[in-house]
Amino acid sequence: MKKVRYTSIDGRGGFYALLGVLGLFILAGLGAAYYMEHNGHWVTGMDNQTVWGLPHVFAVFLIVAASGALNVASIGTVFGKAPYKPLARLSAVLAVALLVGGLVVLLLDLGRPDRLIVAMTYYNFKSIFAWNIILYTGFMGFVAIYLWTMMDRTVRKYYKLAGFTAFIWRLILTTGTGSIFGFLVGRQGYDAAIMAPMFVVMSFSFGLAIFLLVLMAAYDWTGRPLGEALLMRLKNLLGVFVAGALYFVIVFHLTNLYATEHHDWEKFILMGESVHTKVFWLGQVLLGSLVPLGILYSKAGRSRAWIAVASALVILGGFATMWVTIIGGQSFPLVLFPGMEVVSSGYFDDVAYHTYSPSFPELVLGLGGVAVALIAVVVAVKVLNLLPSSLADADVDPHHKG
Amino acid sequence: MKKVRYTSIDGRGGFYALLGVLGLFILAGLGAAYYMEHNGHWVTGMDNQTVWGLPHVFAVFLIVAASGALNVASIGTVFGKAPYKPLARLSAVLAVALLVGGLVVLLLDLGRPDRLIVAMTYYNFKSIFAWNIILYTGFMGFVAIYLWTMMDRTVRKYYKLAGFTAFIWRLILTTGTGSIFGFLVGRQGYDAAIMAPMFVVMSFSFGLAIFLLVLMAAYDWTGRPLGEALLMRLKNLLGVFVAGALYFVIVFHLTNLYATEHHDWEKFILMGESVHTKVFWLGQVLLGSLVPLGILYSKAGRSRAWIAVASALVILGGFATMWVTIIGGQSFPLVLFPGMEVVSSGYFDDVAYHTYSPSFPELVLGLGGVAVALIAVVVAVKVLNLLPSSLADADVDPHHKG
Amino acid sequence: MSDPKKETMDQGRRRFLGAGAAAAATIAPGVTLMQVASAKPDDQPVSDKNRWGLLIDTTKCASGCDACVQACNEEFNLQPQHGPRTDPHWIRKVEVRDTATGRTFSLPMMCQHCENPPCADVCPTGASFRRDDGIVLVDRHICIGCRYCMMACPYKARSFVHEEIPEEDKNVNAPRGKGCVEACTLCVHRVDKGRQPACVEACNGDGHKAMIFGDLKDPGSEISRELKKYPSTQIRADLRLNPGVFYKGI
Amino acid sequence: MSDPKKETMDQGRRRFLGAGAAAAATIAPGVTLMQVASAKPDDQPVSDKNRWGLLIDTTKCASGCDACVQACNEEFNLQPQHGPRTDPHWIRKVEVRDTATGRTFSLPMMCQHCENPPCADVCPTGASFRRDDGIVLVDRHICIGCRYCMMACPYKARSFVHEEIPEEDKNVNAPRGKGCVEACTLCVHRVDKGRQPACVEACNGDGHKAMIFGDLKDPGSEISRELKKYPSTQIRADLRLNPGVFYKGI
């Protein structure tokens, strides 16, 4: 294996145009947040039945994908796979960028974002949410250190340790994110220990899909070589992760289907009239899982364009998954009286399901978070030596037969 | 890579002595089964509170380990890792042998083992148990075909397909085994979707530990070379699997600890006075997980003797896990009246927990099942060309630097 | 392959008596005419037009009284053999204390004859099944004794026959056999003759009158009218199994 | 870092009246002496010697009557603004039908003041908390409006303040503010003065007398004696949250 040379990208016109577009999205997102905060959340699609709306779909997706984006680095460092090592810097930066994007959305969607300092100083240690604040902060710190050990020869001896710590931390972090939902005892769609490992596997899938798209875009746009064998490795890995996530989804629903107490909930999600049923089957299962699997494991999987399509579909499926999990989970009314029906209620206990239509500002805020993540990556590859000048197969894999 | 040459082992005196000892265990097991069937189950430690006893602990452990033992073959075939390919034949044979051993115990512990034909002809397709009968039968069939494609050049073209089918089938099989418990809605210790993937990861761990011991014993006793690098790969993989299983155990208990409704159950398992608390902490967590992890990832992990110790501990931990899951799960009384206490009962509803002391015949039956599995492997390596004449690193790994 | 459920139902059907409601009334003292009227006429097949159920009033069920348990043991000749841990228990008395309020009450527990019985869901051979009229039974001829139903039942309502049943203890009211699982049959042999279950009869005969048997699908039956009028509870209602046994005063 | 819980409790303590039980009796018509006697004497600090709770008799709660809801809205000046989906609802009326028995009943739902409140478990800052005397509150000064408590509450008892509260609607009985979560306080401002919650007062004043307020830890209080004597239910008892609100006749 030749020594890998990392260089920053050239800042041509396209680069600044990209910065500009992303900047506009960020500005729009800030404006949307201000609008919602100023008026109060009644101007959004949210209400007292659906208290977490589209911004949470974006935020949780980005946070889950963040820890998954670090996997490429972890496979190199923790599991010692040489071909992944040159990708580690981009992987680490992308992970932090996605996390920041998600957290910005989460913060700006709070009822009182001005009380960030309260959230940082008052801790209820029984709250998995409070733990997550620590986990997010720690993730950024540990990944930054990890990146430092990759880039600075003087601290190279801590590289393994930093990589291992970041890997363990990211597993705990996504376990914490999944547990936000898994720990909710009162709702039919949550309250399941499987949510934590399911989110971990989903993070593998979403994070790698984003990484693949960013990697292909960066190498295509900067005209750097990107090896076929490396790409095949990554797309095969994506297939395994997508199948793994689908496995957890199947187990989750099958187990619910076995328990009579969950039949109403499953009927609502799997066979209901609400939009969530369509999003589940078309978005999460078909477009988000089966079609990408078909692409990745067929001959189409050898084409870069099709790998990009599969990655984009996995990301789409990720949003669908978060939609069904977060919005769908809230749409199903609380079961106050098992075995009985609420005939009438002063507060929507008697509906088949709660509806939620996202408002435009919520969408803009969510997209703003995506833009924050992307702009961070774009700036980072410009100012830091993150990308290997070449990812041609002969340059990354000691065993590659040219 | 040189071409791998598979040869059967020589049948010296030690071979027949081993056969004899295992045969005695099998005879004793059959005798124990006859004794229990003839007298009725009241002569065992089981009762109407603990209806699945030590035989189930053995049976479920063997069945779970069976599918895990196939993993070594799957890694070679499905994930294309060359160094694992020479191990595939032994892996497949061990998988079938363990399954047969487990099924024998399960069958002989039935109330009416004479009705095996009923179990094979009457199916309730809503029963995960009925599904498992199909899954077990199919597993043996698919693995046999898989083995055939490995050993017969004329059907070599179906090797990939057979390996992939067997891999998917084994995942479904262990999902089914875990779901036997996960689907039990009425008991505090079960009723959780996470049981299925937890059993899958545990199967990786138990199966590989048994494989490692069998491999090392076979190559040591027959004086064949077994490469250091190969062994390091396998022991590192074992470490990952043990850590993975521990992760699921932690998530399972943490989620329960968050839900007030599960506090009594968690208190019983984690801090109770029953034997299950000791078996959990000492057997499952300490000896079965932490100590092996310590061995495998420390300098001791480079020694064959210590790898053997770690593998043996993982197996011990596996039995502890099955004990806590199966016996512990039944020990905790059913919650008939949430929030109320049963003051007195005509049928043990008022106890803190149900006790169970295995009888000697139950132990003998369980060991008989282990002997069935082992004798099948021993005979197979004698009559079939299963073991490569050399597993020296240079012979198995194309990239190995001598 | 013959359908085991059908067989068992046919057996039940074949075993009816020529005499109808009047005969039942004389056999079962303390049974009101209303209750008898709600039982299945003998010449009708088992159908989902009925759902047999029980309503148990815990405020009338006397602590310490086990007349229902005695009657059940007698009806099916359930004899103690090697100790309570393995002896059959088709019905048992339970005393409960509400820890939040300090209130205590007493009740009999038995098979709750769920509409969605987990025992039948998990049974690999279909030996555990639910008759069209809601009675949950074990077909002892195809039970392989795997005991998965006992793992699945949330009420510990089932017993495994741990030992040989002496010839003299064998009973025509329900076939029983070593190595199989058994449970309360809601006295299906009586119900099919238009009679009350033995436990209900005993509770009435005893003067407590804490148990009402009847057809949950007949709006005019005493049990339906009581259920509609007064609050009642199904045990572990959160599992949504919709048991056919209801309790008042829990 | 000061302890927010302590602060709120101190505020509660400071707000007591000089007059005791007698004052409460005149303020709250229809309240019996027994009930007043069970309320906290004004000069005692909040302690875990009391646990305040409610007993709601659904057989007395009239379908269609929403006196309790009206009283609550008035007490806290909860004004409708942009529609029911986002308006605050601290208490609501619910009509329920038991699908198994056909029985119907009516009841008010509000914060159930759990002993193990999931809202407080999940709250990242500790803004949601349970006072020593069992009342579950939101400290609006450290609530960041994350709404995780609303995800966690099994009773949908909480409201998010979706809009600015007009100056003229602001109320001394509980501080409220845009972007924070709020819920039934069990009228802690009244309880701390030895009075009854507004909903209870209204229900009694209305003549239905379906609600009893009192100290669950005082065995002599009316609520404790009723609970010990008659069957009652906690909603979603299976979650083991041990709510302080009990219902009769569910």
Side-chain angles (χ1 to χ4, degrees), chain D residues 113-131:
Chain D
H113 298 283
C114 305
E115 187 189 345
N116 308 298
C119 56
D121 283 349
V122 304
C123 177
T125 64
S128 292
F129 69 101
R130 184 183 173 278
R131 281 207 331 182

Side-chain angles (χ1 to χ4, degrees), chain B residues 111-154:
Chain B
R112 296 295 303 262
D114 54 309
R115 288 187 177 167
L116 175 60
I117 189 71
V118 174
M120 306 296 276
T121 47
Y122 287 76
Y123 281 106
N124 166 26
F125 285 104
K126 201 181 170 182
S127 168
I128 186 71
F129 226 57
W131 276 96
N132 278 346
I133 295 170
I134 298 169
L135 290 170
Y136 299 148
T137 320
F139 183 79
M140 290 192 273
F142 286 119
V143 176
I145 293 169
Y146 181 26
L147 191 65
W148 180 27
T149 63
M150 293 183 208
M151 299 182 69
D152 183 349
R153 291 180 144 265
T154 62

Side-chain angles (χ1 to χ4, degrees), chain A residues 185-187 334-336, chain D residues 92 109 114 117-119 149-157 235-236 239 241:
Chain A
V185 296
R187 290 186 186 259
L334 289 162
V335 176
L336 294 172
Chain D
R92 64 192 189 270
M109 270 299 295
C114 305
C119 56
C149 58
M150 299 176 75
M151 294 289 283
C153 175
Y155 307 103
K156 203 171 71 173
I235 294 178
R236 291 302 307 269
L239 298 175
L241 306 175

